[in-house]
Amino acid sequence: MGNSSCRYVINAVGKGGETYYTQCQDKQELKAWITDHEERIVMNELKITDKNKHPLLKLFSLKR
């Protein structure tokens, strides 16, 4: 996938220590990926980055 066509970047850790990295174009594709993989990933270790988010909002967003 090209960087211009994806909006969300997903980094996740699997229950067996696997590392997942994928890119999604829209929110529906993002939700579908999470639904398909929720049994295999640690939800507390799920990190989703919105590439279209304004840079100032990135500075002030709350992180765990």
Side-chain angles (χ1 to χ4, degrees):
M1 277 186 206
N3 287 339
S4 62
S5 66
C6 73
R7 177 173 178 176
Y8 298 102
V9 177
I10 302 170
N11 288 310
V13 177
K15 292 181 179 177
E18 306 92 349
T19 302
Y20 293 92
Y21 175 82
T22 191
Q23 300 174 350
C24 297
Q25 294 179 1
D26 55 18
K27 196 174 272 193
Q28 290 82 14
E29 186 178 347
L30 173 69
K31 288 180 180 181
W33 188 90
I34 292 172
T35 302
D36 291 343
H37 293 86
E38 68 184 340
E39 302 88 28
R40 293 181 272 178
I41 61 175
V42 179
M43 294 304 284
N44 290 339
E45 297 292 326
L46 180 65
K47 182 178 177 186
I48 301 169
T49 305
D50 185 354
K51 293 173 107 181
N52 290 351
K53 192 173 191 181
H54 192 277
L56 286 177
L57 293 175
K58 289 180 184 178
L59 290 174
F60 296 113
S61 65
L62 297 174
K63 302 283 183 187
R64 284 191 212 176

